[in-house]
Amino acid sequence: QRVRVHFDLILLHEPATRRDFCHTRHTFQLEAQVPILKTAELRQVMDELLAGGNRALLAGAFQAPVYDVYGTSETKEIAWECPEGGMHVNADAVRLEVVDDAGRSLPPGEEGSLVVTSLINRAMPLVRYLTGDRGALLPGTCTCGRSSPLSRER
C-alpha cells in the first residue's frame, strides 16, 4: 500500500530528477510490480552506491540514466558520479582523505580508509571523520572536463 502511494506521488509531481536509496527502487519494481517508473520528464536517477545488477535494474525501470552518489548520514554527499563515470569529490563541502591503518595520509591511487572533514556543518563540525569505507583518491582529471578531485569508493 505505501509503495503504491509513493509511486502515485511520483507520477503526480513528475520530477526531473529522482534521488532515493537503492532498496526503495528495488521495492518499487519487485514488490509493486511496476514495470516502468518513467515520468514524463525524468532525466536521471541518483542513488546510493550501486552494487551488482542494480544499475541496470533501475535504468530499465526508470528508462533513464542512473548515477551513484557517495555520502554518509553524518556528512551528506561526498562524491557524485558524472555522465562520464568519474566520481567527483564534493570539494566545496568536504575534504576527503585516504589514510592507512595508522592514520597517515596516502598518495593518490593508493587505497585506504576514507576520512572526511565537513566544511559546511557549523552546528556539529566533523573533523577527520573515519567513515568506515575504503577507497582512493585518483590522480588525473575526468574526461567530462570538471576540475574537482576524483575518487573511488568501495
Side-chain angles (χ1 to χ4, degrees):
Q1 179 88 12
R2 288 180 51 210
V3 171
R4 177 53 58 188
V5 169
H6 196 107
F7 176 68
D8 290 342
L9 286 171
I10 292 171
L11 293 177
L12 175 68
H13 295 289
E14 296 185 351
T17 302
R18 289 275 305 142
R19 181 158 183 248
D20 278 318
F21 293 107
C22 189
H23 64 272
T24 303
R25 303 287 187 277
H26 190 72
T27 298
F28 276 156
Q29 180 143 12
L30 299 181
E31 290 183 22
Q33 298 177 353
V34 177
I36 294 179
L37 299 176
K38 185 179 188 311
T39 58
E41 297 295 321
L42 187 66
R43 293 180 183 88
Q44 63 182 344
V45 176
M46 301 177 84
D47 214 336
E48 65 188 1
L49 291 178
L50 299 166
N54 285 334
R55 183 182 301 268
L57 176 74
L58 297 178
F62 282 90
Q63 298 295 296
V66 178
Y67 301 104
D68 278 327
V69 176
Y70 170 67
T72 66
S73 297
E74 299 81 9
T75 62
K76 303 302 176 213
E77 294 81 9
I78 295 171
W80 305 78
E81 182 182 18
C82 75
E84 299 294 320
M87 286 296 287
H88 293 268
V89 176
N90 190 9
D92 292 340
V94 299
R95 173 171 160 62
L96 182 63
E97 299 175 72
V98 181
V99 299
D100 64 16
D101 292 338
R104 294 180 298 252
S105 291
L106 293 172
E110 288 195 36
E111 184 176 299
S113 297
L114 297 178
V115 174
V116 65
T117 297
S118 174
L119 303 176
I120 59 173
N121 187 347
R122 294 187 178 164
M124 189 177 93
L126 291 173
V127 178
R128 298 197 84 212
Y129 173 72
L130 187 60
T131 66
D133 297 327
R134 294 189 57 82
L137 289 172
L138 302 178
T141 58
C142 185
T143 57
C144 75
R146 291 177 180 89
S147 61
S148 54
L150 294 171
S151 64
R152 177 185 70 237
E153 298 77 26
R154 65 174 187 101

